[in-house]
Amino acid sequence: MLNITLNTEKNGIELRFDTKPNTDVITAIKEAGFRWSGKQRMWYAKQNDETVALANQISESEGSFEYKPKTETNIDLWSLTRIEGIEDNYGKTRITNTKEIAANIRKHLRNRFSMCKWSVTSDYNSIRVELLESPFSRNSEALKAIINYAYTYAQSWNYNNSDLMTDYFDVNFYGAYKVSYNYNQRECKPNETEIETDFLTKKSEFDAEQKKQKEERIKKGVEEYIIRQAEYEKAEAERQKKIHRIEKNAEIKTVDYTILNAILKANKDDNLDHTEIYDEKQCRETCQVSREVHFTTEVYALFEKQLMSDYSFFDGMGGSRTDDRRIQSSIDYDMMTEEERETVEWYNINCVAIYCDGELKLIVDPQGYNYARYVYVYDEQSQKVDTYHSDQYYRTQKRYKAGNQFRLPAGCNR
């Protein structure tokens, strides 16, 4: 005789048999999710339509119950192991209780992979997911896909704000996801015989498609590279022609004068078309000119469009200097505080003045390179002088004439 109790407090259903039920009954209630309580001598499960209907069916059979296994058809393991549709469960629920998270993971995995037996346990800051049993071999591709899905789904309940660079760790929980050490590969049920074969077929098709797409991407990338390379070589050939023309038509003169208040117009820019940023926060500097380069209007128009090209008339030119006696080497400057550095007056030396049809257009400080590294413009506030010494030079001279016996500095390259 069977006694059925609906436990409303726990939303459960309890089955108590006068005698041990036969094998068919035990198999059926286990499959429905009933578990045995040896202490209370009963079978129990969550109350739902399936468990209640099965209990009534066993009760009405009066000992003649016959187990009929569920006929699950068309189990598509390939689709079940796809991870693309997994939601951000932590972002959606903000659950931080590991026991509650483990319960959700356990329920999801058991419903999704009915052919597998799972163990999902938790403590205060970690969750452990283990696959205990399935019809697939331990090292099979099917099992690897199932474990990967389990890992990805479990991680959807996690967050990670850690910073490995500072050894700072902040996660919702730590996790372990693996096939159990005592994993059992059981025999396939009648409806499970084709699951792995179907999975491998679809995986093979997927891998072939991925390989095809990768080859197409590589092929397209190579074609695009060939086109870009051809365009680059064409542009570079054109650039070299312009450089040759600029070099051929450059008239070079050796001079010695200084430009005061020259305004910085370009800093490693190839042309002057888009240098408005330097107009917003103007920087004016002093440039000692040691060389002039004269162009015609047509050649100058070519030059100002490719300032980053290498030119022989920039070779060995440029640099920085200060008359500050506190600085005898770069080490002295490096040892200064930020406030002290702001008091040092630098000026550019060995600059190259660029003229267009006799009009001073640009002052270039290559800083030892062969291209126009820093480009200055001569405007109405700028001034050309034949002799220049910084204010710090005059202050040093004054101290020297007043009796200071320290040697006057020759200057120091920055």
Side-chain angles (χ1 to χ4, degrees), residues 248-267:
K248 183 178 179 181
N249 292 278
E251 182 184 349
I252 301 173
K253 297 180 181 179
T254 300
V255 295
D256 183 14
Y257 57 84
T258 301
I259 305 295
L260 306 179
N261 291 324
I263 183 170
L264 181 66
K265 187 62 177 176
N267 181 349

Side-chain angles (χ1 to χ4, degrees), residues 75-78 135-136 140 142 188 192-205:
I75 298 177
D76 186 356
L77 185 61
W78 176 257
F136 313 113
S140 66
C188 287
E192 297 173 343
T193 54
E194 300 298 325
I195 293 178
E196 187 168 11
T197 303
D198 178 67
F199 171 84
L200 292 175
T201 300
K202 291 181 177 178
K203 182 179 185 303
S204 177
E205 293 172 354

Side-chain angles (χ1 to χ4, degrees), residues 190-252:
N191 63 306
E192 297 173 343
T193 54
E194 300 298 325
I195 293 178
E196 187 168 11
T197 303
D198 178 67
F199 171 84
L200 292 175
T201 300
K202 291 181 177 178
K203 182 179 185 303
S204 177
E205 293 172 354
F206 176 81
D207 291 343
E209 181 62 26
Q210 289 293 101
K211 182 179 179 181
K212 179 181 177 182
Q213 292 179 8
K214 181 179 179 180
E215 291 173 348
E216 290 176 352
R217 287 195 300 270
I218 293 174
K219 181 180 178 181
K220 183 178 179 181
V222 170
E223 292 174 350
E224 291 176 350
Y225 170 78
I226 293 173
I227 293 173
R228 289 196 304 270
Q229 187 67 16
E231 291 174 349
Y232 167 78
E233 291 175 356
K234 181 179 179 181
E236 184 61 21
E238 187 65 27
R239 175 182 281 263
Q240 291 300 325
K241 287 181 181 179
K242 292 178 181 178
I243 292 173
H244 178 71
R245 185 178 177 186
I246 292 169
E247 292 268 14
K248 183 178 179 181
N249 292 278
E251 182 184 349
I252 301 173

Side-chain angles (χ1 to χ4, degrees), residues 20-35:
K20 182 178 179 179
N22 60 41
T23 304
D24 281 357
V25 172
I26 294 176
T27 302
I29 60 179
K30 280 186 175 180
E31 190 174 277
F34 282 88
R35 302 179 68 181

Side-chain angles (χ1 to χ4, degrees), residues 374-411:
Y374 300 106
V375 179
Y376 300 84
V377 173
Y378 186 90
D379 64 4
E380 62 276 1
Q381 296 184 40
S382 305
Q383 182 182 358
K384 179 179 177 182
V385 297
D386 292 332
T387 304
Y388 170 77
H389 289 293
S390 68
D391 291 340
Q392 288 174 331
Y393 173 85
Y394 289 115
R395 287 196 294 270
T396 304
Q397 281 278 57
K398 185 176 181 180
R399 286 195 298 270
Y400 180 79
K401 291 178 180 179
N404 192 325
Q405 299 301 311
F406 286 104
R407 178 175 56 85
L408 290 176

Side-chain angles (χ1 to χ4, degrees), residues 326-336 341 412-413:
R326 294 172 298 174
I327 302 175
Q328 300 297 320
S329 70
S330 61
I331 297 177
D332 297 329
Y333 183 78
D334 292 339
M335 295 296 290
M336 284 182 167
R341 291 178 183 179
C412 174
N413 285 342

Side-chain angles (χ1 to χ4, degrees), residues 18-83:
D18 290 341
T19 60
K20 182 178 179 179
N22 60 41
T23 304
D24 281 357
V25 172
I26 294 176
T27 302
I29 60 179
K30 280 186 175 180
E31 190 174 277
F34 282 88
R35 302 179 68 181
W36 169 249
S37 172
K39 184 177 181 180
Q40 300 186 57
R41 310 296 296 174
M42 69 174 184
W43 293 88
Y44 65 95
K46 285 294 182 182
Q47 188 181 145
N48 55 48
D49 293 343
E50 181 184 0
T51 55
V52 172
L54 177 61
N56 290 331
Q57 183 183 355
I58 294 173
S59 177
E60 293 169 0
S61 66
E62 297 180 352
S64 61
F65 177 82
E66 181 180 354
Y67 169 67
K68 295 180 180 179
K70 294 180 181 179
T71 55
E72 298 181 28
T73 57
N74 300 324
I75 298 177
D76 186 356
L77 185 61
W78 176 257
S79 297
L80 293 178
T81 53
R82 297 306 86 207
I83 63 175

